Amino acid sequence: MTTQPPVTVRTFAQRLSPTPRGARLARHLALHQLHAWGIPHGSDASDTAAVIVAELAANAVTHGRVPGRDFELRLSLVTGSVRIEVTDTRTGPRPPAPGAVEQPDLLDENGRGLVLVEALADRWEVVERVPPPGKTVRVEIDLPRWLALVRALDGASGSVQVGAGGWPVCTDTAPAPPKPTAAAAGS
């Protein structure tokens, strides 16, 4: 078994007011942070994250709001992907699990948020908030150029080149890091 050098996990967390303004700010902050991590505005990963954060933040404001309690946005660069977590403190009915999201009727004005999340996310789940009460919706979006991105962020020596669209290009011949399993994604 070959060992890989340790990787610094980059994390961004912000508590936001459970208002439409807080939901808009969550999307803006997420895009800004992803750009700072080398995931440029307008890239597929950035656009996907923007839609997912907007939908999850809107759900936290609409369905997870508890007066006097904020919701939290957390972003992490984890092995092979970017993880998005939106946490609220509301107890009660939980959103449907992955694979159980029902398609809304054509004329329904609501109910498309988790349909979009399910369509765009590579993995997602709903877990209990730690500490209780509440829940966290955790989503992962795979980043094909993750290893080069992390090396560029770490300022590692070696051949890190910038390719089309400003994304780092990995010139390694080493295999990509393993993708997290469902059990590892829950940690």
Side-chain angles (χ1 to χ4, degrees):
M1 179 168 128
T2 60
T3 60
Q4 295 183 355
V7 175
T8 302
V9 176
R10 288 180 166 67
T11 302
F12 168 86
Q14 180 68 50
R15 289 177 52 189
L16 300 150
S17 65
T19 62
R21 183 177 182 185
R24 286 190 305 274
L25 183 57
R27 181 182 173 279
H28 175 76
L29 290 171
L31 290 175
H32 179 76
Q33 186 60 52
L34 292 176
H35 188 77
W37 283 342
I39 302 170
H41 295 288
S43 66
D44 288 343
S46 178
D47 289 347
T48 299
V51 172
I52 289 171
V53 169
E55 293 301 336
L56 295 181
N59 284 351
V61 167
T62 305
H63 306 293
R65 184 175 193 276
V66 174
R69 298 218 176 152
D70 296 337
F71 74 95
E72 182 180 78
L73 168 68
R74 180 177 295 270
L75 305 172
S76 306
L77 277 180
V78 296
T79 304
S81 62
V82 62
R83 180 179 292 162
I84 300 165
E85 295 175 305
V86 174
T87 301
D88 64 56
T89 57
R90 184 164 190 137
T91 58
R94 289 176 51 155
V101 177
E102 295 182 16
Q103 294 285 336
D105 290 332
L106 288 175
L107 298 178
D108 286 349
E109 293 182 17
N110 300 313
R112 289 177 175 74
L114 287 179
V115 172
L116 288 170
V117 169
E118 187 153 59
L120 295 173
D122 290 297
R123 287 165 300 289
W124 73 283
E125 64 183 340
V126 181
V127 297
E128 293 297 319
R129 179 179 181 260
V130 177
K135 64 197 160 296
T136 298
V137 180
R138 181 179 295 144
V139 177
E140 288 190 3
I141 304 166
D142 289 341
L143 297 175
R145 298 175 199 95
W146 177 84
L147 186 58
L149 176 70
V150 170
R151 285 189 177 154
L153 286 170
D154 287 342
S157 61
S159 53
V160 177
Q161 302 170 349
V162 177
W167 277 85
V169 176
C170 181
T171 57
D172 280 352
T173 55
K179 293 190 179 189
T181 62
S187 59

